[in-house]
């Protein structure tokens, strides 16, 4: 039997009181997994809305290639297919910030669901028109009027910002995971679309993408407990007025040109059935680097990430000069490792510069600038592929675009006083 503890009191020695320890608090601390991603998904509701977000995002990488295959097969014109796809991208760039503003004002579920339903109905109508070989102008009209896909990635990042407010380390891990998820969706989406279109009918890719997107949005918005509350309306105007936002969007524009030019130049250089898998290595490298970056507590500054991107983007150029396909594949894998850390750091700056009541709109503006850069880079890459004096000439463009992004970041001081 243990001896009783004694303590001194004004009246003399007395038994010291014993307090029962409450193990709940230390147990909850020690029970936390060491892996930051496991801790991330220990947040109630996080797994469900993440699955819905990923399912809804996968079709984003499917719609473009599915439309190209579908239109080209029925109309025998890649020019028309490319023009219809470009129309969808341009219209989405115009409607995206407006839809995001409505989401900030009225909530994710109230806006994202009807916007997705409208977009899916438009895709189904486009399938019908293409199948019946309707006049070309109807394809452009339907595409332009139904480009209302919400920015699911932005909504998911907004949920993490709400759930993990006050915990910058966990929020950094969540941002890295989201970027890795983006890369995975853009890597798997075109492959899945091509497989479905080739295995069934040319319209099958668009149909499958529409079903996946609508199902994912319903699952994502159905987790109402994790949805950020609607912030009070303010008179701040557009997030573009936030100090430092316009220069940051210019950096995103130049960064998008890196991705757009690299994709087209690599496809033109390989020019064969293995072009897709070889190009997918760039997304695979970005996905792996993003997951590793999410485990690092100390984050790099944006100009450091852009400097690393400028150096790594020279790897495909050096590999292409050898003429070896394996060397180019390795160069793309290495080049992709700079993508996710740069985007994670850039999106973190967008979140810090944007008022909380306009977070979805701010992130959608960043994505819009990025997509505009992708379009410009793709056009420049196509021109370089047709007019290159030597085979590896086009790979100068991604390096030059990365250098431009770095110069803009250094000249404007983006990220120094976020």
């Amino acid at each position: 039997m243990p001896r009783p503890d004694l303590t001194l009191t004004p009246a003399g020695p007395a038994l010291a009181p014993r307090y029962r320890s409450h193990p709940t608090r230390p147990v909850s601390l020690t029970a936390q997994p060491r892996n930051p991603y496991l801790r991330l998904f220990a947040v109630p509701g996080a797994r469900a809305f993440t699955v819905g977000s990923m399912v809804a995002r996968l079709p984003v990488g499917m719609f473009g290639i599915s439309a190209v295959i579908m239109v080209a097969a029925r109309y025998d014109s890649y020019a028309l297919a490319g023009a219809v796809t470009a129309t969808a991208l341009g219209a989405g760039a115009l409607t995206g910030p407006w839809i995001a503003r409505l989401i900030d004002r009225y909530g994710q579920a109230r806006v994202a669901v009807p916007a997705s339903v409208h977009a899916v109905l438009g895709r189904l109508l486009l399938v019908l028109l293409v199948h019946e070989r309707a006049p070309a102008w109807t394809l452009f009209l339907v595409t332009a009027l139904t480009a209302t896909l919400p920015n699911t990635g932005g909504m998911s990042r907004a949920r993490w910002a709400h759930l993990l407010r006050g915990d910058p380390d966990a929020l950094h891990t969540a941002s890295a995971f989201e970027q890795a998820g983006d890369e995975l969706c853009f890597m798997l989406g075109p492959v899945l679309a091509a497989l479905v279109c080739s295995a069934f009918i040319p319209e099958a890719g668009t149909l499958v993408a529409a079903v996946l997107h609508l199902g994912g949005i319903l699952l994502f918005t159905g987790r109402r407990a994790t949805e950020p509350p609607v912030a009070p309306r303010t008179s701040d105007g557009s997030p573009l007025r936030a100090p430092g936002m316009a220069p940051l969007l210019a950096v995103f524009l130049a960064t998008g040109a890196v991705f757009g030019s690299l994709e087209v130049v690599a496809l033109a250089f390989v020019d064969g059935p293995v072009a897709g898998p070889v190009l997918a290595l760039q997304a695979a490298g970005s996905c792996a680097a993003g997951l590793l970056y999410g485990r690092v507590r100390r984050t790099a500054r944006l100009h450091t990430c852009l400097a690393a991107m400028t150096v790594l983007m020279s790897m495909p150029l050096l590999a292409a000069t050898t003429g070896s396909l394996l060397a180019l594949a390795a160069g793309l894998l290495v080049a992709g490792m700079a993508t996710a850390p740069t985007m994670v750091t850039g999106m973190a700056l967008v979140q810090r510069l944007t008022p909380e009541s306009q977070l979805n709109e701010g992130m959608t503006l960043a994505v819009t600038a990025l997509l505009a850069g992708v379009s410009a880079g793709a056009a420049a890459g196509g021109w370089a592929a047709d007019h290159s004096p030597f085979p590896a000439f086009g790979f100068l463009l991604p390096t030059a675009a990365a250098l431009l992004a770095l110069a803009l970041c250094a000249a404007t001081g983006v990220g120094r006083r976020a």
Side-chain angles (χ1 to χ4, degrees):
M1 181 175 181
R3 297 180 59 185
D5 295 332
L6 298 178
T7 185
L8 294 177
T9 68
L15 290 175
R18 291 183 177 272
Y19 299 98
R20 296 188 61 183
S21 60
H22 297 276
T24 54
R25 184 172 300 175
V27 166
S28 63
L29 291 176
T30 56
Q32 290 288 338
R34 298 182 63 181
N35 189 312
Y37 291 103
L38 295 180
R39 292 199 301 269
L40 196 65
F41 292 105
V43 178
R47 296 181 182 180
F49 88 74
T50 299
V51 171
S53 173
M54 292 300 173
V55 173
R57 261 185 282 185
L58 180 62
V60 176
M62 298 178 62
F63 279 129
I65 189 66
S66 296
V68 169
I69 295 174
M70 175 176 66
V71 175
R74 298 301 182 188
Y75 290 82
D76 195 24
S77 172
Y78 277 98
L80 177 60
V84 171
T85 304
T87 300
L89 184 62
L94 294 176
T95 60
W98 174 69
I99 294 173
R101 181 178 298 181
L102 293 178
I103 290 174
D104 285 327
R105 183 174 298 180
Y106 299 108
Q108 294 182 355
R110 293 183 62 184
V111 177
V113 172
S116 293
V117 170
H118 183 263
V120 166
L121 290 176
R123 296 288 176 170
L124 297 179
L125 180 57
L126 180 64
V127 167
L128 179 61
L129 292 174
V130 171
H131 186 74
E132 298 298 327
R133 293 180 56 85
W137 65 267
T138 61
L139 309 185
F140 292 103
L141 181 63
V142 169
T143 300
L145 294 180
T146 58
T148 57
L149 286 176
N151 181 10
T152 312
M155 292 190 295
S156 185
R157 287 176 172 89
R159 292 202 178 201
W160 286 121
H162 166 64
L163 295 173
L164 304 175
R165 58 189 183 279
D167 191 346
D169 290 339
L171 186 57
H172 166 70
T173 302
S175 299
F177 173 80
E178 289 294 326
Q179 187 60 41
D182 284 342
E183 299 295 341
L184 186 63
C185 290
F186 281 113
M187 180 173 60
L188 296 180
V191 176
L192 179 60
L195 288 176
V196 172
C197 290
S198 60
F200 300 99
I201 59 175
E203 294 85 359
T206 301
L207 294 174
V208 171
V211 172
L212 287 176
H213 175 74
L214 187 58
I217 281 292
L218 292 176
L219 178 59
F220 175 79
T221 56
R223 308 302 299 180
R224 301 297 293 269
T226 58
E227 180 177 345
V230 177
R233 294 181 59 181
T234 64
S235 57
D236 294 335
S238 172
L240 284 171
R241 299 182 180 180
M245 179 61 78
L248 180 58
L249 293 182
V251 173
F252 270 90
L253 184 68
T255 306
V258 176
F259 308 144
S261 59
L262 181 63
E263 179 177 358
V264 173
V265 168
L267 288 174
F269 184 87
V270 177
D271 192 23
V274 297
V278 169
L279 189 60
L281 289 175
Q282 192 251 346
S286 178
C287 181
L291 294 176
L292 291 175
Y293 191 58
R295 297 177 64 94
V296 180
R297 291 188 175 183
R298 185 182 181 89
T299 58
R301 292 192 176 186
L302 183 59
H303 69 271
T304 304
C305 294
L306 290 172
M309 175 178 284
T310 304
V311 174
L312 294 183
M313 282 298 159
S314 65
M315 295 296 105
L317 173 63
L318 297 176
T321 57
T322 66
S324 170
L325 186 59
L326 290 177
L328 178 61
L332 290 172
L333 181 67
V334 173
M337 293 180 180
T339 302
T342 302
M343 297 310 303
V344 170
T345 305
M347 280 298 184
L349 281 176
V350 171
Q351 295 183 34
R352 291 163 63 184
L353 293 174
T354 306
E356 184 179 356
S357 60
Q358 299 173 313
L359 188 56
N360 284 287
E361 184 179 358
M363 287 189 288
T364 302
L365 284 172
V367 173
T368 300
L370 193 69
L371 292 178
V374 169
S375 300
W383 180 89
D386 290 338
H387 301 85
S388 59
F390 54 92
F393 173 79
F395 287 99
L396 288 170
L397 288 179
T399 305
L403 187 61
L404 175 61
L406 176 60
L408 289 172
C409 182
T412 58
V414 170
R416 292 180 184 173
R417 300 177 301 274

